[in-house]
Every structure is written in C-alpha cells, then in structure tokens.
Amino acid sequence: MYQLIRYICCFVLGASVALSLSISSSEQTPPKSIYYDADYPLLVDVIDTIETYYVDKVDRKSLINAAIKGVFDKLDPYSGFLSEDGYQALNNANRGEYFGFGFEVATDDGQITIVTPFKNSPAERAGIEAGDKIIKFNDTQVDETNFQSVLTEIRFHSTHNFAINLTLKKTNSHQEALLTLEPDVVYIQSIESQIIDGDIGYIHLASFQEDATDAIVKQAKEWQNIALKGIILDVRNNPGGLLEQAISIADLFLEKGKIVSTNGRFFDANEVYYASNQSIFTNIPMAVLINKGSASASEVLAAALQENHRATLVGETSFGKGTVQSIIPMLGHSSAVKLTIANYSTPNGNYINEKGIDPDIEIAISSVTDLTIVPIIDSENLLENSYDQQVASAIAWIDGR
C-alpha cells in the first residue's frame, strides 16, 4: 500500500512539472503570427525578386529601409525608426546635450510646426520661433505625408555636419523666410531660476530630461530659508521629454490627487499615476506659464497642477499633444523604434490631443510682444531687458492672493 501511494505521488508530481513546463513555454514563446504571418514570406519574396530582377542594381539594405519607412508612413507622425545615430542623438538629448540644429517639430493641421527652438541653438540664432511652419526643406516641399522622411534627412544632415535650408511661414507675420542652419552642439539646461521682485521664485523648465526633477529639488533646498510669496513655473516653449520626469515633478508640487492616466492596447500602457503626500513649496500660490510651444510632458504637468487646484495657468492655449511614445531597442541592432503606445488623459479625464490646455488667465502672445522666445535669465531682474506681460500677469496674480 505504501509503495502504491509513492507511485501515485511521483506520477502527480511528474504531471505537475510537465504541465508547468508546458505553461511556461507557451508564455515565453511569442505568438505564432509574429514569425509565421502569412504575409511575411510575401514581403521577403518581393524584396528578393526586386534584388534579383530589377533593371538597376538595388542594395538590399536600401529596400529593407524603404519597407520600414513604408510601415511608419501608415502610423502617426510621432512614431518612427531610429537609426544608430538617431537613437544615440535621442539618448544624448535626454541627458541635455546633442549635435544638431536645436528645434523640435510636430504636425499641426497638416503642417509641420516648430514646437520650440532651444536656447542658444542654431535654430534660435537664425530667428526660428515657436509656431513657425516649415514649408520647404532644402528643395523639397514639406507636409505631413513626407514628415518622417524629412525628419530622417534632417538627422542625416546633422550627423554628417551638413547645412540645411528651411523655408518657413512665420507665425506672426505669415511671411515666408528662407534660413540656412549649420549644425552645432546644443546644450539643454533643465532649469534656470532666480528670485524676482524680492520674494517670488521663478523657475524656467526648458526640458523634461533625466536630471529635471533633481534640479528642481536642488533649487528648492537653496530657497528653503527664503520666505517666498509665490512660485512661477515657466514651461513656455518646452516641447516635453521624459514622461516619468513630468510625473515626478508634478508629484513634487502635489500632496494628493491623480496626476495622469495612460491608455493603450497592451497591459503596461495602461497606468494611473497618483501624487504622494510629500511636496515642496506648500501653502504658497503657484502660477504656471504656458504657450503654444508647451507640449506633451509640459501639458501633463500643467494639467495636473491646474485640475488639482494647485496652480493657476497663465498665457496661451498649449500645443495639444496627448500621446505617449516609448523607445523600444531592436534586439541585436543598435537601432530602436520610437512608437506611440498610449494616449493620456488629465486628472479630470480630458483628452487634450490636438486641443491643448486652456489657461486660467489668457494673455495672447500678440498682446505681449512680437518675440515668442523668452530670453534666458542672465540679469538680476527678469523684466529689466524685455517686458514680459505673461510673467508680469503671474506676478500680479500672486500679489493679489
């Protein structure tokens, strides 16, 4: 009897192990369609046929690149293939330094729009402004149908230190301007800050790069012995960056509440982010400056502070980019795919894509100045060298609290 029980136990254990291995194998093996899709051999056959029989010799790599380009032409303009150089440039930009022309673009109403020119970049030195439309790149007419190929060409020119010609429709005058840009090293400093009017802390957040949260925490520590009357956070002409940094910075200023929700097709793209109960600059008024160059992560931050009643937004309606991109390295290669994986919604459940976020106090750029780029802070008084009505309005709002 004892021997029989031992046999039964061994059988059950063996069956359990076999079942476990079977389940493990099925979880780790990608769906069959990924490798055995009926159309995949057709694509390979088409490339083989062209390579073998086409009248002119065609490099196989160029055919594969063309096929990849065709795939991304079917997606949104924020998705794309990053070559080794492009992938490295993006990583460098997230660390605050890269070689290029110094501007961010996006599609807006079927046109390619400058989101922001970075400070002291070739783009800013040439007079490019947020809201300018790119009409031509070199001799190529530009629209959303060739957006990805133009971006690829711009990256190619920067990588190989080639100049580019851009024909722009200016945001204010609507006149056309032909500009020539030479690539250069672009340094992006996360924040610049100073005390204005004696007791108001001003922080200009230029980009949501890797050190952005740490930079604001460091600044808060430097101001901890100052009796601040208010805080102005300036995200004008900030094109975005790392979503995790936007969430972390929002968390710095919020003691509670939802920050943002993301929604996509696969499990990990669906997240809801909430604030922790520790925050900085508590119990003092806060104004956030936004304009049409405030996009993506800037809008996540602005909406979180506005809808949780932590800050008043001053300026213009923001750009309206409500999607989330992920960088997915290609295994065995030095390239990556930049892919839109989710939409995001504000704490109140609003989708702002192609709509933007409306300010609480609207100060249109046309009523401020013809300059849409705020100069870097290099004097003791922000308003000494250029009158900035949006900053002045934020100060007036804080003084009236």
Side-chain angles (χ1 to χ4, degrees), residues 49 75 98 141 155 231 243 277 283 296 321:
T49 301
L75 306 182
Y98 75 100
Q141 199 77 23
R155 293 191 193 104
I231 289 289
L243 176 63
N277 57 8
N283 302 319
S296 193
K321 181 178 178 292

Side-chain angles (χ1 to χ4, degrees), residues 40-336:
Y40 178 72
L42 176 61
L43 176 60
V44 174
D45 195 27
V46 168
I47 292 176
D48 287 342
T49 301
I50 294 172
E51 186 181 29
T52 303
Y53 298 110
Y54 187 63
V55 61
D56 297 318
K57 185 176 181 179
V58 183
D59 178 62
R60 185 177 185 85
K61 184 176 181 180
S62 66
L63 292 174
I64 293 172
N65 289 337
I68 293 172
K69 176 184 177 299
V71 169
F72 285 103
D73 284 345
K74 290 294 184 181
L75 306 182
D76 73 309
Y78 302 112
S79 298
F81 178 76
L82 299 175
S83 65
E84 180 177 359
D85 291 334
Y87 187 24
Q88 185 62 49
L90 181 62
N91 288 330
N92 290 341
N94 286 333
R95 290 191 289 267
E97 177 183 336
Y98 75 100
F99 188 80
F101 301 103
F103 61 86
E104 292 276 349
V105 295
T107 57
D108 182 25
D109 292 331
Q111 294 181 299
I112 309 306
T113 303
I114 301 290
V115 177
T116 187
F118 289 114
K119 180 64 187 175
N120 290 328
S121 68
E124 190 199 50
R125 292 195 293 268
I128 293 179
E129 302 169 305
D132 289 350
K133 310 290 185 183
I134 300 179
I135 301 172
K136 283 186 179 181
F137 164 72
N138 291 340
D139 294 324
T140 303
Q141 199 77 23
V142 177
D143 58 40
E144 61 182 352
T145 63
N146 60 358
F147 178 76
Q148 289 296 342
S149 59
V150 168
L151 286 185
T152 300
E153 281 296 309
I154 291 174
R155 293 191 193 104
F156 176 85
H157 281 65
S158 65
T159 301
H160 293 82
N161 200 15
F162 295 154
I164 60 173
N165 295 316
L166 295 179
T167 302
L168 304 176
K169 180 180 287 185
K170 299 298 291 179
T171 183
N172 294 317
S173 65
H174 300 293
Q175 295 179 344
E176 293 188 6
L178 175 61
L179 304 175
T180 299
L181 302 183
E182 298 273 355
D184 198 356
V185 178
V186 179
Y187 298 98
I188 308 170
Q189 189 171 338
S190 293
I191 72 166
E192 295 174 293
S193 58
Q194 73 174 69
I195 299 296
I196 55 178
D197 274 20
D199 53 7
I200 296 176
Y202 172 91
I203 299 174
H204 176 230
L205 179 59
S207 175
F208 291 86
Q209 57 201 49
E210 292 174 358
D211 64 346
T213 303
D214 291 341
I216 291 180
V217 171
K218 180 181 178 182
Q219 187 60 66
K221 290 179 180 178
E222 293 178 2
W223 286 345
Q224 62 185 347
N225 295 323
I226 300 176
L228 294 176
K229 183 165 61 176
I231 289 289
I232 297 174
L233 181 62
D234 189 347
V235 293
R236 292 176 296 180
N237 297 332
N238 182 326
L242 300 172
L243 176 63
E244 63 188 48
Q245 289 293 313
I247 294 169
S248 296
I249 293 171
D251 193 12
L252 289 179
F253 294 104
L254 294 172
E255 294 182 271
K256 62 180 180 178
K258 184 187 295 185
I259 295 174
V260 70
S261 302
T262 62
N263 177 261
R265 284 199 308 123
F266 79 103
F267 179 77
D268 287 343
N270 297 277
E271 296 283 353
V272 182
Y273 298 90
Y274 291 91
S276 61
N277 57 8
Q278 294 183 340
S279 63
I280 60 175
F281 302 125
T282 55
N283 302 319
I284 61 175
M286 182 176 183
V288 177
L289 304 182
I290 61 172
N291 68 357
K292 56 192 171 187
S294 305
S296 193
S298 293
E299 294 171 297
V300 169
L301 174 59
L305 298 178
Q306 181 188 48
E307 294 184 5
N308 281 289
H309 308 291
R310 176 62 188 92
T312 291
L313 303 191
V314 179
E316 298 176 291
T317 299
S318 61
F319 184 82
K321 181 178 178 292
T323 58
V324 179
Q325 285 70 46
S326 180
I327 306 301
I328 306 169
M330 297 291 96
L331 294 178
H333 300 271
S334 300
S335 54

